[in-house]
Amino acid sequence: MPPNSNPFRPLLLRQTRLTATAMSTSVAVAAAVAGVGVYALYLRRSSAAQITGADAKSGSGKPIFGSFGFHSLRLHSTELINHNTKKLRFELPDPSQPSGLSLTSALLTVSFPSGRWLPVLRPYTPTNPLDEPGYVELMVKLYPGGKQSTHLHSLKPGDRLTVAPIKEIAWTPNKHAHVALIAGGAGITPMYQLTRGILSNPQDKTRITLVWGVNSDEDIFLGDEFAALEKQHPGRFKAVYVVSQPGAGSPHQKGYVTKQVLENAGLSAASEKNKDIKVLVCGPPPMEKALTGTKGWMGNATAGVLTELGYSPNQVHRF
């Protein structure tokens, strides 16, 4: 089918404009659901040769995710990195080109588990260097009953996955002197992408404080990577771990991400060092609500921990 004959092209262009704004991932996904649902029919009616053929061309000279669009990627390999998280490495159609994704970008994954007619959509943040040519990697935590995570964990090398890029916030180097990254569980992946992106840019002097809350010590699956970044960038990057159920002899503090934990990590808005700070939050909904509060109905809004610490809404962004 010629590029301009796609009947859903106007809908996809509308989604491109939507995702170009600084909306949260959850809003972007909600805006895309209707479009992807219709576009799924197009995918169903397209032959496998049509879908994979367009993405199998190499030497195009252009990154695959340079603009919005759906693409089919072939799974190269899988690696179990802890008791419930897999690293999935997908091949890009042009092995000489990087993905074209920018900092704080995610991939909207689209699948049809167990022969479903309607697609399952979930966003995942790539964790390999964005300038690495030929590949994109996703770290996927398996959730009990999770439709997409179960499907992705079942994939074998050679299987294919349909994805589309989602832009999060537009990161500008040195716009903020300090950035606080507060993550829960698998919400660490966008924080890891951003941390490594900032620290690998010699022009970006932003200071980073990371607070990561997990269930067990084994859930700190990027601990070695963060330790290496701390060693390479002393005084600029600090990682704090909070474990709700630590093992015997655990070096990490027990509990949850609370006001006191954030204060102890140096993240009070009253601190002189935090006058120019941006706070980014990504984690399970209960954690995010506790941190950012709720708008509520009929005036029943609740203030979150970050408000209690002195942060204004425009200083906080939820992935």
Side-chain angles (χ1 to χ4, degrees):
M1 177 180 290
N4 292 331
S5 65
N6 183 350
F8 305 108
R9 189 168 185 271
L11 183 146
L12 297 178
L13 291 175
R14 177 175 180 272
Q15 176 60 20
T16 302
R17 292 193 293 270
L18 283 170
T19 55
T21 63
M23 63 173 71
S24 68
T25 300
S26 59
V27 174
V29 172
V33 167
V36 174
V38 175
Y39 190 67
L41 300 178
Y42 168 70
L43 291 179
R44 283 292 197 184
R45 293 172 182 173
S46 299
S47 68
Q50 286 178 311
I51 295 174
T52 61
D55 285 332
K57 297 177 181 178
S58 62
S60 65
K62 296 181 180 180
I64 185 174
F65 298 123
S67 59
F68 183 83
F70 292 90
H71 302 274
S72 175
L73 301 183
R74 181 182 181 274
L75 181 62
H76 173 268
S77 59
T78 69
E79 178 186 355
L80 188 65
I81 57 176
N82 75 352
H83 61 102
N84 63 6
T85 303
K86 269 190 175 182
K87 180 191 294 183
L88 306 178
R89 188 169 174 85
F90 291 90
E91 298 173 354
L92 299 178
D94 187 341
S96 68
Q97 290 293 323
S99 65
L101 295 170
S102 57
L103 275 186
T104 73
S105 291
L107 290 180
L108 180 66
T109 62
V110 186
S111 70
F112 298 85
S114 303
R116 288 170 55 101
W117 178 254
L118 293 177
V120 175
L121 300 85
R122 296 291 187 275
Y124 290 93
T125 303
T127 53
N128 63 314
L130 295 179
D131 58 356
E132 179 184 10
Y135 295 94
V136 64
E137 288 181 353
L138 305 178
M139 289 189 179
V140 180
K141 179 178 179 179
L142 179 63
Y143 289 94
K147 295 182 178 65
Q148 192 70 309
S149 64
T150 299
H151 174 72
L152 294 181
H153 271 240
S154 73
L155 294 179
K156 302 293 189 296
D159 291 341
R160 305 190 73 90
L161 178 68
T162 299
V163 298
I166 298 175
K167 179 66 180 176
E168 249 309 332
I169 63 173
W171 180 255
T172 303
N174 303 308
K175 183 176 181 179
H176 306 282
H178 185 194
V179 61
L181 309 178
I182 308 175
I188 193 62
T189 53
M191 309 308 193
Y192 178 57
Q193 183 196 86
L194 182 58
T195 297
R196 187 164 57 182
I198 291 173
L199 296 176
S200 66
N201 181 359
Q203 306 302 318
D204 197 339
K205 307 301 181 183
T206 307
R207 186 165 57 90
I208 306 168
T209 299
L210 168 71
V211 178
W212 185 9
V214 296
N215 292 325
S216 68
D217 297 275
E218 291 76 17
D219 291 317
I220 306 177
F221 54 83
L222 287 168
D224 291 343
E225 289 81 352
F226 284 129
L229 291 173
E230 282 184 303
K231 184 176 181 180
Q232 295 165 12
H233 304 275
R236 283 195 59 205
F237 174 60
K238 178 177 70 173
V240 176
Y241 305 105
V242 187
V243 183
S244 60
Q245 301 173 33
S250 172
H252 309 301
Q253 59 184 306
K254 180 179 180 179
Y256 300 91
V257 180
T258 62
K259 179 181 178 181
Q260 183 177 358
V261 166
L262 297 178
E263 285 179 327
N264 292 342
L267 295 180
S268 170
S271 172
E272 187 65 30
K273 294 181 179 180
N274 297 330
K275 293 300 181 183
D276 180 21
I277 188 173
K278 186 70 174 182
V279 182
L280 306 181
V281 178
C282 187
M287 173 186 174
E288 291 194 356
K289 289 180 180 179
L291 291 171
T292 63
T294 60
K295 294 181 179 180
W297 297 95
M298 304 298 290
N300 293 324
T302 60
V305 167
L306 294 173
T307 300
E308 295 174 3
L309 286 172
Y311 291 106
S312 60
N314 63 358
Q315 289 181 284
V316 180
H317 175 82
R318 291 173 61 175
F319 278 97

